[in-house]
Amino acid sequence: MIHKATVQPKRDRAFDAHAFLSSAGIPGRVMTYRRDEVIFGRGDPCKHLLYIQSGGVRLSVRSSSGREAVVAILAPGEFFGEGSLAGQPVRIGSATAVEDSAIGIVEKDSMMEALHTHAEVWNQFIAHMFARNLEIEEQLIDQLFNVTEKRLARTLLLLAGSRDDDTADCVVPNISQQRLAEMVGSTRSCIGRSFQKFKSLGFIECRRRSPIRVNRSLRALVLH
């Protein structure tokens, strides 16, 4: 079942991803997708940045109850899949063509090199992505995490001493899931299920009797 609440981001029509990449000399390739064809799904490797050359794309997430929610409908000229640039190992949601579409695919390394070597490229790209992402992040978090998972994510970040300006993954000292359950106000079994979800999405890494590594992708999603 698809939840009808949809966030429609305000669009900067002066920004065009294809023109931006061409002017910056960033190589890419174009693939075509039919209406309702999945471009990427939750759990797929997060290796590329994508943009819409023609057509349209629906971004959606599935909640823990199995409900699918549309978080954005994107138009030609817009980027998506930018989690690859933030170190996200797998996709946390799905992207589907809403009509026959031509989708540009840019290798992560090519984009990162351009961002690091050309200040004007960095400034344009970041300004555009911030303007769009700030409008849909709250909806994404609400649909992706239930209340317990939100509290657990924030507790892990607090225990790790994470700050907005951190640029690396952070580590939580050894702590049992039972102790975390007490801190979060939940049960050991709920925390265990949340851990498995966080691990499958690439947000944390943990092994028995080892510290918990909180990946920067979780911090980026929760702190902002």
Side-chain angles (χ1 to χ4, degrees):
M1 177 179 178
I2 298 180
H3 186 47
K4 293 182 179 179
T6 302
V7 172
Q8 199 78 12
K10 296 176 184 176
R11 305 230 169 74
D12 179 4
R13 292 299 185 185
F15 189 94
D16 182 275
H18 180 64
F20 166 78
L21 293 170
S22 297
S23 65
I26 302 172
R29 66 184 192 275
V30 176
M31 295 186 64
T32 57
Y33 293 86
R34 302 298 300 272
R35 179 178 179 178
D36 294 329
E37 186 174 356
V38 175
I39 300 167
F40 62 72
R42 173 177 163 177
D44 287 350
C46 197
K47 297 180 179 180
H48 308 103
L49 175 71
L50 304 97
Y51 66 92
I52 306 169
Q53 187 166 317
S54 65
V57 171
R58 179 177 73 245
L59 302 181
S60 62
V61 293
R62 191 171 295 277
S63 70
S64 56
S65 64
R67 183 181 63 179
E68 184 182 15
V70 177
V71 296
I73 302 293
L74 304 182
E78 296 191 89
F79 284 109
F80 63 104
E82 64 277 4
S84 59
L85 304 181
Q88 197 176 83
V90 296
R91 303 293 185 188
I92 63 174
S94 300
T96 307
V98 296
E99 57 184 297
D100 292 352
S101 302
I103 304 299
I105 299 174
V106 181
E107 296 293 335
K108 171 186 173 181
D109 291 345
S110 297
M111 189 67 184
M112 292 299 292
E113 181 179 358
L115 292 176
H116 284 138
T117 56
H118 301 290
E120 69 280 5
V121 173
W122 169 268
N123 291 336
Q124 290 180 51
F125 179 75
I126 294 303
H128 169 69
M129 295 311 301
F130 274 3
R132 196 205 76 186
N133 287 359
L134 286 174
E135 296 183 26
I136 66 175
E137 272 185 347
E138 185 174 348
Q139 175 79 357
L140 175 62
I141 293 171
D142 284 343
Q143 296 298 333
L144 186 63
F145 294 156
N146 62 35
V147 174
T148 296
E149 291 164 347
K150 291 177 190 176
R151 293 203 301 264
L152 174 61
R154 294 189 178 106
T155 299
L156 290 173
L157 292 172
L158 287 170
L159 288 172
S162 181
R163 302 185 307 276
D164 284 331
D165 57 354
D166 286 341
T167 58
D169 300 339
C170 48
V171 176
V172 176
N174 257 335
I175 186 170
S176 69
Q177 291 188 9
Q178 179 58 46
R179 177 61 179 147
L180 278 172
E182 294 169 0
M183 296 174 70
V184 171
S186 184
T187 64
R188 164 67 179 76
S189 60
C190 284
I191 296 300
R193 288 193 294 271
S194 297
F195 260 65
Q196 289 304 312
K197 181 175 180 178
F198 285 7
K199 286 174 66 176
S200 70
L201 292 172
F203 288 149
I204 64 171
E205 299 171 25
C206 60
R207 296 185 178 89
R208 191 170 182 177
R209 298 193 178 90
S210 296
I212 303 164
R213 180 172 296 277
V214 181
N215 294 332
R216 56 185 176 177
S217 53
L218 180 64
R219 182 173 63 248
L221 186 65
V222 174
L223 289 186
H224 299 300

